[in-house]
Amino acid sequence: MTTTDDRKRRYRFHCRRGMKEVEEVLFAYLDRWYDQDEEATQLMFGRLLECHDVDMFEWFLHRTLPEDANLAAYVAQVITRVEAG
């Protein structure tokens, strides 16, 4: 059985990406907001980490949105939280 702490450690490892701009958003969200979210929302972070760096880069710069409506809503939430500091 995976605990929340185990999942967060695994997610932290997967936040290491090829693009610094993407890493900054992912780590900021994980460090500041992840623990406050319900488990279903925490699992969406794992889904986000499965996406390509280039796609996340475009999303985080407000250039495009994910095609999946649930993921698009989650990405919008991540961006709003990270930008608010």
Side-chain angles (χ1 to χ4, degrees):
M1 182 173 181
T2 302
T3 67
T4 301
D5 289 337
D6 291 337
R7 187 181 317 121
K8 187 175 179 180
R9 276 192 291 278
R10 191 171 56 250
Y11 287 170
R12 181 169 302 286
F13 177 79
H14 290 289
C15 284
R16 298 180 196 155
R17 312 301 280 216
M19 300 179 89
K20 181 180 177 182
E21 298 85 354
V22 171
E23 284 184 4
E24 288 175 358
V25 172
L26 294 175
F27 281 119
Y29 183 81
L30 188 65
D31 291 338
R32 293 184 213 147
W33 301 102
Y34 178 84
D35 292 329
Q36 298 175 29
D37 286 336
E38 296 178 8
E39 185 175 13
T41 306
Q42 291 175 345
L43 293 172
M44 283 296 291
F45 189 74
R47 188 165 168 219
L48 177 62
L49 292 173
E50 294 173 0
C51 298
H52 295 283
D53 291 2
V54 174
D55 292 333
M56 285 190 281
F57 181 77
E58 294 293 317
W59 301 337
F60 295 164
L61 292 178
H62 305 278
R63 292 182 182 166
T64 62
L65 292 172
E67 291 182 18
D68 178 275
N70 292 328
L71 187 58
Y74 180 71
V75 167
Q77 177 185 8
V78 168
I79 292 168
T80 299
R81 286 176 157 183
V82 170
E83 287 178 349

